[in-house]
Amino acid sequence: MIVGSWQYKISNDRAMSGYKIVSKYAEKYGAIGTSIATHQGADTSVYIDIGYNNYQHFGEMDDSWSTDSEFGSEMEAYFGMSEHIRMNFYEPLLHEMPFNGVKSCFAIWKFSHPNRELVLKESESFFKYWMDNGSTGCTVGTLSGADFGQYGFGARFNNMADYGKAADKLNGDKVWDNHQEMLSSTIWDGFNLRRVLAENGWKE
């Protein structure tokens, strides 16, 4: 699985009506899932995410709806009322996030690191920390696009209160002090809190 992520500046109500069109055509052309979410933090804006089996699947879908005149006609008004900020593909390296049907919240860290093996090794411990304290799933992977070469780490929660409780617990226990080999060589590029507004089709 890969996830294409488009970031926009647009009002939430217009974003939702535009998302309904995108989701309809994404389902028509075989996407494995779509979602719309707001981010607060380093990248405060609206995100539309579309899941694909692989890059070939993305290319086939993009070719299909790029030549679909009905899609272009329905979306034309939204292109003029939104400001496109950036686009990335997210490719999971470790992913433990079974679909649970909840309009979830996420804590998302974006970072750079010189040692992929260490990132993966330490992420296994970080998955356990968060999931033992209320997270319903975790993922770590690479970004390509506007943020090429960076990593993303996400922890999913049923609500922001659960995230807050987990953050208080882990920070209070000072568990991060045990992982300075990785964290001391990490360059932090941004942190966001993500709230899913709607989603369709995801099964993982």
Side-chain angles (χ1 to χ4, degrees):
M1 178 185 70
I2 61 171
V3 179
S5 184
W6 287 262
Q7 179 186 359
Y8 294 94
K9 292 283 189 181
I10 186 173
S11 64
N12 282 0
D13 59 334
R14 294 181 184 272
M16 285 297 295
S17 59
Y19 167 72
K20 291 177 182 177
I21 299 170
V22 170
S23 181
K24 177 178 70 173
Y25 283 92
E27 183 174 6
K28 175 182 177 180
Y29 289 119
I32 63 174
T34 62
S35 63
I36 182 170
T38 58
H39 279 207
Q40 298 291 326
D43 300 311
T44 299
S45 50
V46 172
Y47 280 73
I48 293 179
D49 297 324
I50 302 175
Y52 308 94
N53 294 321
N54 49 43
Y55 287 103
Q56 179 179 344
H57 185 203
F58 158 75
E60 291 168 351
M61 277 190 58
D62 195 67
D63 286 341
S64 295
W65 64 10
S66 293
T67 56
D68 188 322
S69 60
E70 292 184 3
F71 173 74
S73 177
E74 289 193 63
M75 287 301 299
E76 183 175 4
Y78 295 93
F79 297 140
M81 66 178 68
S82 62
E83 178 188 354
H84 179 251
I85 306 299
R86 58 157 62 86
M87 183 270 179
N88 279 295
F89 286 110
Y90 175 73
E91 186 171 351
L93 298 173
L94 294 175
H95 190 75
E96 189 173 341
M97 196 172 288
F99 183 74
N100 64 358
V102 176
K103 291 181 183 177
S104 303
C105 299
F106 291 77
I108 300 174
W109 294 261
K110 189 167 59 179
F111 63 97
S112 301
H113 197 279
N115 187 333
R116 176 174 291 200
E117 289 185 7
L118 185 59
V119 168
L120 294 178
K121 175 187 173 185
E122 294 293 79
S123 289
E124 291 181 355
S125 296
F126 298 156
F127 277 28
K128 180 170 174 53
Y129 291 144
W130 286 111
M131 294 177 73
D132 283 352
N133 287 280
S135 171
T136 62
C138 288
T139 185
V140 64
T142 56
L143 297 167
S144 60
D147 298 313
F148 181 82
Q150 296 180 350
Y151 293 95
F153 182 100
R156 184 182 68 183
F157 299 87
N158 287 335
N159 50 61
M160 284 297 181
D162 286 351
Y163 158 71
K165 291 176 186 176
D168 284 343
K169 177 70 164 57
L170 295 177
N171 291 338
D173 288 348
K174 299 182 179 179
V175 297
W176 315 118
D177 292 347
N178 299 323
H179 298 274
Q180 288 307 303
E181 180 184 3
M182 175 188 165
L183 297 178
S184 63
S185 52
T186 297
I187 299 173
W188 299 106
D189 298 306
F191 172 75
N192 283 288
L193 294 173
R194 171 186 179 91
R195 186 179 296 276
V196 175
L197 303 177
E199 59 186 358
N200 180 52
W202 299 102
K203 297 302 178 188
E204 56 180 317

